[in-house]
Amino acid sequence: PAADGTMRGGSVETRPLTAIPPGRSARITRVTNQDGEFLRFLADSGLRIGEPVTVEAHSSAAGCLRLTVAGQSLSIGLPAAGEILVTLD
């Protein structure tokens, strides 16, 4: 931050992964759930800060998102995906 308390640089708009439409790519910028087990799950799944992801499909009926991360397909529940904040690429 600057001396007056404001943040330097432009502000980057983040949104939950659940808000990204199918076919769009985004980059993970923040995780709101800081529970250790949840963070380990994300890391083990390749979902790390800075990692690009592509949303392949939303399934409200099944309660999940299908993603591509590092060339691998991954399904994640909507509650978990809502804890992952991203910026559009």
Side-chain angles (χ1 to χ4, degrees), residues 24-86:
R24 291 292 307 261
S25 294
R27 191 165 301 275
I28 299 171
T29 56
R30 187 170 165 224
V31 177
T32 58
N33 181 342
Q34 295 295 299
D35 176 71
E37 186 175 344
F38 183 70
L39 295 174
R40 278 187 295 282
F41 162 76
L42 295 180
D44 291 347
S45 299
L47 296 167
R48 297 179 179 90
I49 301 297
E51 190 69 34
V53 299
T54 301
V55 175
E56 300 298 333
H58 280 256
S59 178
S60 299
C64 67
L65 286 180
R66 191 173 70 240
L67 311 170
T68 299
V69 182
Q72 301 293 316
S73 184
L74 171 71
S75 289
I76 186 170
L78 292 175
E83 302 279 355
I84 300 169
L85 300 181
V86 298

Side-chain angles (χ1 to χ4, degrees), residues 12-15 20 25-29 85-89:
V12 176
E13 183 182 340
T14 61
R15 61 192 78 191
I20 305 304
S25 294
R27 191 165 301 275
I28 299 171
T29 56
L85 300 181
V86 298
T87 56
L88 290 174
D89 276 349

